[in-house]
Amino acid sequence: MSVPFITVEGPIGIGKTTLSKAISERHEFHQLKEIVDENPFLNKFYDNIDEWSFQTEMFFLCNRYKQLSDIRNEILIEQKPVVADYHIFKNLIFAKRTLKFDEYIKYEEIYKILTQDMPVPNVIIYLHASLDTLMKRIAIRGRKFEKNMDPAYLQQLVEDYETFITYFEKAHPEIPVLRFNGDQIDFVNNDQDLQFVLKVVDETIQKGASLNEFT
């Protein structure tokens, strides 16, 4: 039986959790949500990135590893579809930007060990937007620890995501990447935009099932 494993990705504030929830509710997929607020280092991280980046990234990596292990052992093994509001490759995007070179080398080694037998999503939804749009959405949701975020850091993150996704598309042509521009589509506040996005996702799922792409 084919089993969709969809992941929604993009920079901070783009609406990953909102969209993954909508997909989950539409298809009754299991929703996997990343742990953010529980990270005890985030407040310190945004105040002093150099000092607290390694602790922050290691916390995220270990928690995402545990989540994906549980998904593999409890959900996917039962042939139940999953939609997640992150792909674990985001760890490399953030870590490469924030960690010192020697820290990143150690981090990457740990990442490779932990992820070598992790389940791999077979559809990626990539959400992207301009810095202005992201800053507005971050302000609206009002997370306390994000108030001190440097716009320059977020802008660089936008560029890092674009570079990584472009590389990913070339390296993994077998995995469809659905791109949506958040400057043009507001699926949070506009139901017509949401239905458009869901329609594209539906068509991708149906195509994957018919071609038996999902394993």
Side-chain angles (χ1 to χ4, degrees), residues 152-185:
Y153 167 74
L154 184 56
Q155 177 59 43
Q156 188 60 64
L157 189 61
V158 170
E159 296 171 10
D160 290 344
Y161 256 105
E162 186 64 30
T163 298
F164 189 92
I165 291 295
T166 299
Y167 162 79
F168 185 91
E169 288 177 312
K170 294 178 180 178
H172 302 279
E174 75 282 4
I175 300 177
V177 177
L178 311 180
R179 290 175 172 252
F180 296 101
N181 188 332
D183 294 331
Q184 301 172 356
I185 295 176

Side-chain angles (χ1 to χ4, degrees), residues 16-34:
K16 298 182 290 293
T17 302
T18 298
L19 182 57
S20 65
K21 180 180 179 182
I23 295 171
S24 171
E25 292 176 347
R26 183 181 184 94
H27 294 285
E28 296 185 348
F29 288 1
H30 177 85
Q31 184 185 14
L32 172 61
K33 296 189 291 184
E34 69 172 335

Side-chain angles (χ1 to χ4, degrees), residues 5-117:
F5 181 9
I6 302 171
T7 185
V8 183
E9 259 301 349
I12 299 168
I14 193 63
K16 298 182 290 293
T17 302
T18 298
L19 182 57
S20 65
K21 180 180 179 182
I23 295 171
S24 171
E25 292 176 347
R26 183 181 184 94
H27 294 285
E28 296 185 348
F29 288 1
H30 177 85
Q31 184 185 14
L32 172 61
K33 296 189 291 184
E34 69 172 335
I35 294 173
V36 177
D37 295 346
E38 293 86 345
N39 191 325
F41 302 108
L42 271 179
N43 280 319
K44 297 176 180 178
F45 172 79
Y46 285 124
D47 286 335
N48 190 331
I49 292 178
D50 291 337
E51 181 69 21
W52 293 99
S53 58
F54 189 78
Q55 296 91 327
T56 301
E57 298 305 335
M58 283 303 302
F59 179 92
F60 278 132
L61 177 58
C62 290
N63 274 276
R64 290 166 185 158
Y65 166 77
K66 177 61 167 62
Q67 285 185 309
L68 288 172
S69 295
D70 291 343
I71 286 295
R72 177 193 59 198
N73 298 331
E74 300 173 10
I75 306 299
L76 291 175
I77 196 172
E78 298 292 336
Q79 298 291 298
K80 297 177 181 178
V82 174
V83 56
D85 64 3
Y86 71 90
H87 190 302
I88 201 166
F89 67 42
K90 77 182 302 174
N91 288 71
L92 295 181
I93 298 175
F94 281 79
K96 195 168 187 179
R97 174 55 48 192
T98 61
L99 297 183
K100 299 180 179 66
F101 178 76
D102 58 335
E103 290 179 333
Y104 180 77
I105 296 301
K106 296 175 183 178
Y107 181 90
E108 188 178 36
E109 291 177 356
I110 298 171
Y111 173 92
K112 289 178 179 178
I113 293 172
L114 293 181
T115 60
Q116 61 185 353
D117 59 349

Side-chain angles (χ1 to χ4, degrees), residues 137-156:
R137 293 183 180 179
I138 289 172
I140 290 172
R141 73 182 180 185
R143 284 178 175 168
K144 182 178 179 181
F145 57 80
E146 291 177 345
K147 291 182 179 179
N148 296 329
M149 186 185 301
D150 184 355
Y153 167 74
L154 184 56
Q155 177 59 43
Q156 188 60 64

